[in-house]
Amino acid sequence: MADAVRRLGAAGEPPPPVQGVRVAGPGACAVTTYGALVHRVGDDAARHALLRTRRNRPVTVDLGIWSRRDERNPAWRVQWIGPRTADVLATAAAHGLRPGERRSCDDPAIERLRDALDAVADVRAAAANYAEPHRLAEHLEREIVPSHDAVVDLVRRQVSDMRDDRTGSGPTAYRASLFLLARCVADVADVLAVSGLRLPDRL
């Protein structure tokens, strides 16, 4: 699997057969090559599926789910971090607010996302040492995506707080949240690059 992921990242060349992937759903019997998988679910989803695979336990790719462009698709959920963050940052910039780091924060959503991002280096090292790229996919899907969603919801609440109290600490907390979201995009983009994936600004 590590070899497959390395090939995926090499000059954009995919491995010819689908290895470590069990295809399910309508038309699954016709999907026997990487190219056929890409044709059914798209290149990004196919690459993310290979990132999810384990050495001794193939990941199941349900064509009916992985071809969707909504939150049911695991690859789509991870990639949606890019457009959601871009939208939040653009809205803030339109009001003259830029990301600003603040180390201390007592909001659980902020702390969870920061902890998830701080753990990326260790997860990536373990994935490389044990040739288990699925560790990266699991960390993205189980830890970073839900934490990112929670911080986006927090940002929306902070906007409401600033409207109610323009003299309080709202802008500082808001900028700190923006900073963390921007960091999240950079860290996730770096992880996805392992399998030749990019984090888009829009979907």
Side-chain angles (χ1 to χ4, degrees):
M1 229 43 285
D3 289 339
V5 170
R6 278 196 294 271
R7 286 199 299 271
L8 278 171
E13 290 295 330
V18 177
Q19 298 177 353
V21 176
R22 180 183 295 112
V23 183
C29 60
V31 180
T32 58
T33 67
Y34 181 81
L37 184 63
V38 169
H39 180 71
R40 293 298 301 272
V41 303
D43 185 57
D44 288 346
R47 288 173 183 265
H48 189 81
L50 288 185
L51 186 65
R52 267 176 145 223
T53 55
R54 299 170 184 254
R55 206 177 322 176
N56 300 316
R57 189 171 65 187
V59 66
T60 297
V61 175
D62 187 321
L63 300 177
I65 293 176
W66 285 73
S67 60
R68 298 177 67 95
R69 295 178 61 82
D70 61 29
E71 62 183 12
R72 291 183 59 190
N73 182 338
W76 190 93
R77 277 181 56 79
V78 171
Q79 288 194 305
W80 188 236
I81 285 176
R84 290 194 77 189
T85 301
D87 182 63
V88 169
L89 295 177
T91 299
H95 291 85
L97 289 169
R98 304 288 180 180
E101 186 174 11
R102 186 177 67 174
R103 289 291 180 184
S104 60
C105 182
D106 56 3
D107 192 283
I110 291 286
E111 295 302 326
R112 281 195 300 271
L113 181 54
R114 182 177 292 132
D115 289 346
L117 296 176
D118 287 345
V120 166
D122 290 338
V123 174
R124 186 166 183 168
N129 291 339
Y130 297 102
E132 295 179 338
H134 70 272
R135 292 174 182 245
L136 289 170
E138 289 177 356
H139 190 67
L140 287 173
E141 295 174 29
R142 297 178 183 179
E143 303 297 333
I144 292 181
V145 168
S147 298
H148 174 271
D149 290 347
V151 172
V152 170
D153 291 340
L154 171 65
V155 165
R156 290 174 179 149
R157 294 197 300 272
Q158 288 171 334
V159 170
S160 297
D161 292 342
M162 285 189 293
R163 289 170 181 160
D164 295 338
D165 181 9
R166 296 183 178 275
T167 62
S169 60
T172 300
Y174 183 64
R175 286 194 293 268
S177 298
L178 296 178
F179 178 89
L180 193 60
L181 290 177
R183 176 193 168 187
C184 182
V185 166
D187 288 358
V188 171
D190 189 50
V191 171
L192 292 179
V194 170
S195 58
L197 282 165
R198 63 181 182 83
L199 194 61
D201 290 333
R202 63 185 66 183
L203 286 176

